[in-house]
Amino acid sequence: MFENLAVITNPANKDKQIYSIVTGRLDYAADNMLGKKLFCRTLLSPYPRAKIISINTSAAMAVPGVKAICTYEDCPQWSQNIYFAGQEVAGVAAVDEATAARAVKLITVEYEQYPFVVGPDEAMAPGAPLVGTVPEKNTQGWELMRGDFEAGFANADVDFTTTIGWTQYFQHGNIESTQAVCAWTGDHLYVWTTSQNPFAGRSSVASALGIPQNRVHLISHGTGNGHGNKLSMPWLVPAAVLAKKAGMPVLYARTRYEEFNTQGHQFPLKATIRLGMKNDGTLVAADSHYLGDAAATSSNRSTGGNDSLRYTYRIPDARFLGTGTATNKPPTSAWRCVQHPPGTWISEIAIDQAAEEVGMNPLDFRYKNILNPDEVDLDSGLPMASNGQRECLEKVAAAIGWNANYHEVGARTLEDGRKHGIGICGHVDGHGSMSSVVGAIVNLTRDGTCLISSGISRASGGTNTAHCHIVAETLGMKYEDVNTGDWGNTDVCSEGGSQGGSTRTITTGAAFQIAAEDALAQVLETAALMFGVDASELATGDSKVFLKSDPNNSKTFREVCGRNSWSIVGRGYGWGKVLRHREVAGFPIGSPCEVRGVTAGAAEVAVDTETGVVEVLKFAQALDNGRAIFYQGSMNQILGGCEINIHQALFMEQIVDKDTGLTVNGSYLDHKWGTSLDFDTAGFSAALVEGDDACGPYGCKGMGEPCISNMSSIASAVYNAIGVWIHQPPITPQKVLKALGKA
Amino acid sequence: MPEKEELTKENSISRRQFIKNTGIVVGGTAIGSSVLLSACNGATATETISKTVTSTVKVTTSIAKFVCPYDSIEFDSFAALQAHVESAHEAGDPVVKYLCPYDNQEFSSLADLKAHLEAEHLEAVAPVEGLIVLKVNGHECHVQVKPEWSLAFVLREKLGLPALKVGCDRGECGTCTVVANGRAIYSCCMLAMDADGMEIETVEGLSDGITLNPLQQSFVDNSAIQCGYCTPGFLMAAKALLATNPNPTRYEVREALSGHICVCGNIGKTIDAVLSV
């Protein structure tokens, strides 16, 4: 399938924005209105649960240089009710940040305080204070039954139960904090924002301010990292309100401290997993109950934690439960999926422990129990589009030298005295499928080159570059002849969808494939007149149109497009549904299927038992993304995932004081991100597994989320080194020493 | 003076001043942070700043404009005119006449005009508070700054150089790194006034934007970008490293880049890019 691709997967193709990035010319939100804009600071609630009785801003407004102040009374995004410490109470726009900060300190607020709860266990306990973000009760349950799990356990030889968690609460740490510049011209609002969904930003602002969408002109070009934190944009409305009140452009940029206190966080999870096995290690039953801490968000469901266990392994009889709770902490949002990375940490540690229970090597246990490519999804009964889990495991095992390096627990000491260990994990999830139908525009210039545009932002590297590949391949053009036109601009682009769910290459890519086909039909129609043949007798390649019967008889795109006095515009939207390209297990081509994000990871660590420091010596990651449309971008995603797995496993954690609800480590240093001295990337490797069962355009699937779900391989390697499991990430030196009885 | 008191309470100044006073440099700032931060946020740092920041901003009320006789550019002060003429023109051309903006008397040299101002309009030649001179990417820039403005703020908002990005604005992430007098520094943690007289290099100065410099080209060749926001900071840290150490070892590169955070996870490719310049 899809052989002889001319553009797609070519390792030489560069990101279309790489030159503008290395020259510093890609514009991000704050780069607009330089020298003309005001700067903001916000007053954050110091209380986790309260109601604002009164706000006095007169002293703040009197500070020279202060131009506007907004509160919940005039900012429709904000509320009089406080659900977490760090919630925005008032915003000040002034000539510079220092002036705004001075003014913020002069705002006086009278609060009525209420009881609150910060810890998820406490929030789920009977009689806990109501968090307030969800009506009547803090918790919400979810259940999925598969077969008869009780009968399954009755049939098991080994019945194993483990409880793992809580996983840590942490902040996305987007290197460009959440921010926007807003400016009004008459009753038209101009917005430059960081975003993962520009059109959602436009509609939310228009709706909150009660103005038509055609008066909101929103542009999101550069976006300094997203990870899910910029899917919704609560910073836009206060920015627009302050700009209107001040009558001047305003930059509303969260400070790093505000970012930790007001923006999205990872969803902490805890689970009790019971597994039933035969003596030979065959999994026969599971009873898995995940608890989740949604913090102060309006949804408190905990459903995604179970996914890895559900989708990865062949467990015929199972019960999957989820109980989510709200707590009075800064809200959670998707972190490269809402719950898969911590959910997989838990389930993959449980799988390792189950393997040990039946005396099996963790890799062999996985080989025995993972679903194979031709097996159907056990819940929906539908076949899966490219499930390369076995191949991913094989690749990471080879990269890490599994057969040579795996040893009994604690059996190997390095020459420098540190303990050596290796670990492995796998992960299959529901990401990378089609999302809602979106649009795309392909514009052929009269000199025979091409510009593409869609309304997506550039939250991760390379998505719009991947779209250039799809368009070039479909049109039969050279890669260098297709370029990104505008993107993330709601005035000129078609709605491109949210950059979430690992869906943009596949979903917006599908729209681009259709748009390119539309443009191609017009090119052939024009060329048919020039060749004097029917369009069906023509084909394209290498930016030329030629006769199928005589490929040497050709005309360049320049000649064909130049014949018209207009630009050829291709328009596309769809597909929206996922169809098989290959017949599997009796399901014909074109029938529906489940799309799965598939990955595996392996780690080699050295553990210093004197200091507790864990060093990752090697980290290998493999990912089945169907087909790497943009090869360099795909490899960067997987290698980037290696680094993020380590950040999650060893460093990141936000600590909220249970007595006050206040964050105590709201900085990049204490809520640590690893740097180039914390691990050496020389030992990292990435491998692509290209499935033969393509489902998206040219056989692609999404890949953004699965590749950060392999952090449990580090926990597994630490166990292999020192013989103790650290169940609660991050694996800090203190936790290692405590586990070793040294602290 | 109420404004002075308010200034001394400003937290962001105290943090910057504190970090500056501690001598923190790019590289190795991600370690030992809790002590630093608790000190920054606590009362101690506030006291420190009340002693270190003593100047306040004076608003220039005069509307007198000093006009350059060569190109008619207007300046708010004699000092700015003098700096402009000395840097942009061959001073001493007998044809030009310098005009006193207060009484329209003509003078044949800057020195004569200055003598006249000192005799008749003393306020005009008083030192302009906050006027600093930066040599940015080879160009001399005169800019009047407030004491609390960071170098990052001035480079971006007052001198219009947006390639420099701000990630944390508190000395934690390295995104705002520029090269100052040959050394990589966090421009969010240097007060603009402290940069007076320094030679500053930003990404805008690495190339003309058409032909890349070898470091930029290596970032392209190694695909060493993702979202691109941290890239300018990494580029400038690498620039400072390679200027003094053209053939660094892998560890030296890791050390030079260790004051930087890349949230997309692109540190590996960045190290490869610097090593293969």
Side-chain angles (χ1 to χ4, degrees):
Chain A
M1 195 90 206
F2 303 126
E3 285 157 6
N4 303 321
L5 294 171
V7 177
I8 282 167
T9 72
N10 183 344
N13 293 344
K14 299 286 175 205
D15 189 300
K16 291 290 184 185
Q17 273 80 53
I18 197 164
Y19 291 96
S20 61
I21 286 173
V22 299
T23 52
R25 294 183 180 193
L26 180 62
D27 68 301
Y28 297 79
D31 299 346
N32 294 282
M33 294 284 167
L34 286 178
K36 299 174 186 167
K37 57 186 179 270
L38 302 174
F39 297 82
C40 299
R41 278 290 179 86
T42 48
L43 177 65
L44 308 182
S45 167
Y47 305 116
R49 183 79 180 97
K51 184 174 182 181
I52 300 169
I53 304 301
S54 67
I55 299 185
N56 187 338
T57 59
S58 53
M61 202 60 215
V63 173
V66 170
K67 303 293 183 187
I69 295 179
C70 72
T71 68
Y72 77 90
E73 288 170 338
D74 45 22
C75 176
Q77 188 82 40
W78 291 348
S79 166
Q80 187 178 11
N81 296 307
I82 302 297
Y83 302 109
F84 60 93
Q87 190 172 324
E88 289 150 308
V89 170
V92 176
V95 291
D96 56 32
E97 272 193 64
T99 305
R102 272 204 295 283
V104 160
K105 290 176 185 167
L106 298 174
I107 298 173
T108 52
V109 186
E110 190 186 348
Y111 297 92
E112 185 174 283
Q113 293 185 59
Y114 303 127
F116 61 91
V117 60
V118 167
D121 289 321
E122 293 85 344
M124 285 188 273
L130 272 182
V131 171
T133 49
V134 283
E136 295 178 4
K137 59 177 184 176
N138 293 339
T139 60
Q140 187 179 339
W142 173 87
E143 180 182 285
L144 177 79
M145 301 294 281
R146 177 193 290 171
D148 182 345
F149 79 99
E150 285 170 344
F153 277 106
N155 187 32
D157 299 326
V158 180
D159 194 331
F160 170 76
T161 302
T162 184
T163 297
I164 297 164
W166 291 88
T167 59
Q168 78 269 50
Y169 174 73
F170 63 81
Q171 214 274 325
H172 296 59
N174 302 139
I175 196 76
E176 179 196 29
S177 71
T178 51
Q179 56 191 271
V181 172
C182 281
W184 288 83
T185 302
D187 57 358
H188 285 245
L189 171 64
Y190 291 81
V191 183
W192 295 268
T193 184
T194 189
S195 170
Q196 287 178 254
N197 193 348
F199 279 80
R202 180 179 75 172
S203 61
S204 69
V205 172
S207 151
L209 302 179
I211 56 175
Q213 291 192 7
N214 71 352
R215 289 188 202 157
V216 178
H217 311 275
L218 185 144
I219 293 175
S220 180
H221 284 162
T223 284
N225 183 266
H227 285 332
N229 195 27
K230 297 172 177 175
L231 290 167
S232 63
M233 286 143 275
W235 57 91
L236 296 180
V237 175
V241 169
L242 284 167
K244 185 153 202 172
K245 291 183 84 169
M248 289 177 73
V250 157
L251 168 66
Y252 190 87
R254 260 73 176 265
T255 64
R256 193 48 56 184
Y257 181 79
E258 289 164 1
E259 193 79 357
F260 279 100
N261 282 276
T262 61
Q263 266 299 308
H265 292 74
Q266 174 59 304
F267 216 102
L269 295 178
K270 179 183 182 180
T272 297
I273 294 177
R274 180 182 168 209
L275 297 169
M277 294 165 282
K278 289 293 193 187
N279 283 327
D280 68 354
T282 305
L283 283 166
V284 293
D287 187 11
S288 164
H289 188 180
Y290 273 76
L291 307 177
D293 177 0
T297 43
S298 55
S299 167
N300 57 356
R301 289 205 309 159
S302 176
T303 57
N306 282 298
D307 285 359
S308 194
L309 194 62
R310 274 178 63 197
Y311 297 145
T312 311
Y313 298 101
R314 188 188 310 103
I315 308 175
D317 296 298
R319 179 171 75 165
F320 299 104
L321 301 173
T323 304
T325 185
T327 53
N328 294 110
K329 288 201 291 284
T332 53
S333 68
W335 157 262
R336 304 277 285 263
C337 177
V338 183
Q339 296 166 6
H340 286 164
T344 309
W345 166 276
I346 291 170
S347 62
E348 285 298 286
I349 289 176
I351 288 291
D352 264 29
Q353 294 177 347
E356 188 171 34
E357 192 74 10
V358 291
M360 283 182 77
N361 173 316
L363 181 58
D364 295 336
F365 186 81
R366 285 179 171 82
Y367 284 148
K368 189 175 196 72
N369 288 297
I370 55 172
L371 285 166
N372 288 316
D374 285 354
E375 290 182 88
V376 297
D377 180 85
L378 292 171
D379 296 316
S380 70
L382 289 172
M384 289 182 282
S386 92
N387 179 0
Q389 174 72 156
R390 176 175 293 271
E391 215 177 323
C392 286
L393 285 168
E394 287 169 355
K395 289 203 172 187
V396 296
I400 208 86
W402 182 268
N403 291 336
N405 287 321
Y406 185 69
H407 50 72
E408 291 297 311
V409 167
R412 186 170 160 200
T413 304
L414 297 168
E415 283 181 7
D416 59 14
R418 293 185 296 174
K419 300 298 286 185
H420 169 275
I422 65 171
I424 200 160
C425 71
H427 168 73
V428 178
D429 64 34
H431 284 303
S433 183
M434 290 279 178
S435 64
S436 56
V437 175
V438 297
I441 299 167
V442 168
N443 197 326
L444 280 162
T445 63
R446 290 184 64 211
D447 72 352
T449 56
C450 178
L451 287 165
I452 69 165
S453 76
S454 86
I456 63 161
S457 66
R458 200 187 178 284
S460 61
T463 309
N464 50 13
T465 298
H467 297 153
C468 286
H469 283 73
I470 289 170
V471 169
E473 192 73 55
T474 307
L475 277 168
M477 294 182 80
K478 293 175 183 168
Y479 177 64
E480 59 266 33
D481 288 344
V482 180
N483 236 323
T484 47
D486 207 351
W487 72 90
N489 181 340
T490 57
D491 281 6
V492 300
C493 300
S494 177
E495 199 144 340
S498 91
Q499 209 144 26
S502 309
T503 55
R504 290 286 59 90
T505 299
I506 179 169
T507 308
T508 316
F512 269 115
Q513 190 178 9
I514 293 166
E517 284 165 356
D518 183 19
L520 179 63
Q522 297 174 60
V523 169
L524 295 180
E525 203 175 296
T526 304
L529 296 173
M530 299 168 77
F531 280 96
V533 299
D534 189 84
S536 62
E537 295 175 41
L538 298 170
T540 58
D542 207 27
S543 294
K544 289 177 188 162
V545 184
F546 54 85
L547 277 171
K548 286 179 186 170
S549 57
D550 179 13
N552 288 327
N553 186 354
S554 66
K555 293 189 187 301
T556 62
F557 265 57
R558 185 188 182 97
E559 290 171 303
V560 176
C561 295
R563 183 184 182 278
N564 299 328
S565 58
W566 64 89
S567 300
I568 287 175
V569 177
R571 190 182 61 120
Y573 53 89
W575 309 327
K577 58 183 176 180
V578 180
L579 303 172
R580 299 183 67 77
H581 290 311
R582 188 170 73 91
E583 185 178 328
V584 170
F587 289 86
I589 291 169
S591 61
C593 60
E594 299 282 1
V595 177
R596 294 284 176 252
V598 181
T599 183
E604 180 175 27
V605 302
V607 183
D608 188 326
T609 54
E610 295 300 316
T611 64
V613 171
V614 175
E615 185 188 357
V616 178
L617 304 173
K618 279 187 182 174
F619 198 92
Q621 197 157 240
L623 190 135
D624 169 7
N625 71 344
R627 173 158 284 101
I629 300 290
F630 170 31
Y631 181 83
Q632 289 189 359
S634 301
M635 295 303 277
N636 277 3
Q637 280 276 20
I638 304 175
L639 284 169
C642 293
E643 295 180 22
I644 293 170
N645 276 306
I646 295 171
H647 294 310
Q648 295 178 107
L650 299 184
F651 304 124
M652 295 158 65
E653 182 169 27
Q654 181 165 336
I655 297 164
V656 180
D657 178 41
K658 286 193 176 181
D659 294 332
T660 61
L662 294 170
T663 290
V664 300
N665 64 340
S667 82
Y668 268 138
L669 303 182
D670 290 335
H671 176 294
K672 186 170 161 55
W673 278 84
T675 70
S676 51
L677 281 184
D678 291 308
F679 46 78
D680 188 359
T681 54
F684 294 4
S685 64
L688 281 163
V689 171
E690 300 203 327
D692 63 346
D693 183 20
C695 57
Y698 299 99
C700 73
K701 297 190 292 186
M703 63 185 300
E705 287 151 301
C707 63
I708 67 158
S709 280
N710 287 321
M711 58 173 174
S712 77
S713 60
I714 296 171
S716 179
V718 170
Y719 174 73
N720 186 238
I722 60 172
V724 287
W725 282 104
I726 311 287
H727 278 171
Q728 297 178 325
I731 306 175
T732 59
Q734 294 92 322
K735 287 180 189 169
V736 171
L737 291 179
K738 196 173 175 189
L740 291 170
K742 293 184 176 180
Chain B
M1 287 174 65
E3 191 180 351
K4 181 180 173 184
E5 283 175 21
E6 283 160 17
L7 258 181
T8 60
K9 291 175 188 167
E10 167 44 39
N11 206 16
S12 65
I13 306 173
S14 65
R15 186 190 311 116
R16 291 193 174 105
Q17 198 71 33
F18 183 88
I19 292 172
K20 175 178 165 288
N21 290 344
T22 57
I24 298 284
V25 294
V26 173
T29 56
I31 324 161
S33 56
S34 54
V35 177
L36 175 64
L37 275 185
S38 57
C40 288
N41 292 328
T44 317
T46 310
E47 283 174 24
T48 307
I49 200 58
S50 67
K51 291 168 193 163
T52 52
V53 176
T54 54
S55 59
T56 56
V57 181
K58 281 186 183 172
V59 180
T60 307
T61 52
S62 169
I63 54 166
K65 295 286 182 189
F66 290 86
V67 181
C68 173
Y70 297 96
D71 51 22
S72 301
I73 296 176
E74 292 186 347
F75 296 90
D76 291 334
S77 68
F78 175 78
L81 170 69
Q82 185 178 25
H84 165 76
V85 170
E86 287 172 355
S87 64
H89 306 291
E90 287 290 330
D93 185 334
V95 179
V96 301
K97 294 290 180 192
Y98 294 92
L99 202 62
C100 170
Y102 299 96
D103 54 21
N104 287 336
Q105 285 190 53
E106 290 184 347
F107 299 91
S108 57
S109 71
L110 280 170
D112 290 350
L113 174 59
K114 189 175 182 183
H116 165 74
L117 292 169
E118 281 169 350
E120 305 288 334
H121 316 284
L122 195 56
E123 75 279 11
V125 281
V128 177
E129 209 158 349
L131 184 71
I132 63 166
V133 182
L134 302 172
K135 195 165 188 183
V136 183
N137 299 327
H139 300 285
E140 200 163 277
C141 305
H142 300 261
V143 56
Q144 192 170 3
V145 302
K146 288 187 180 181
E148 64 264 44
W149 287 354
S150 68
L151 178 60
F153 177 83
V154 169
L155 288 171
R156 282 180 56 84
E157 296 290 337
K158 303 300 170 190
L159 297 178
L161 296 168
L164 148 70
K165 302 288 180 257
V166 176
C168 67
D169 206 21
R170 53 194 290 172
E172 297 168 359
C173 73
T175 306
C176 65
T177 298
V178 298
V179 177
N181 287 354
R183 190 159 163 253
I185 60 135
Y186 290 168
S187 62
C188 76
C189 284
M190 176 173 275
L191 294 171
M193 292 185 105
D194 290 335
D196 191 9
M198 282 190 170
E199 285 195 30
I200 310 291
E201 296 166 72
T202 71
V203 167
E204 283 95 342
L206 282 181
S207 70
D208 58 8
I210 298 165
T211 309
L212 300 182
N213 108 348
L215 180 61
Q216 291 169 309
Q217 187 61 50
S218 188
F219 270 58
V220 171
D221 294 342
N222 285 278
S223 188
I225 59 134
Q226 282 198 41
C227 80
Y229 197 81
C230 68
T231 309
F234 275 104
L235 279 166
M236 297 318 292
K239 168 85 169 23
L241 168 72
L242 297 175
T244 54
N245 183 0
N247 295 300
T249 63
R250 183 177 181 86
Y251 188 81
E252 285 168 340
V253 173
R254 289 173 60 199
E255 198 171 38
L257 303 182
S258 66
H260 295 251
I261 287 171
C262 172
V263 178
C264 298
N266 211 37
I267 291 172
K269 285 288 183 79
T270 307
I271 294 170
D272 294 345
V274 178
L275 279 171
S276 57
V277 173

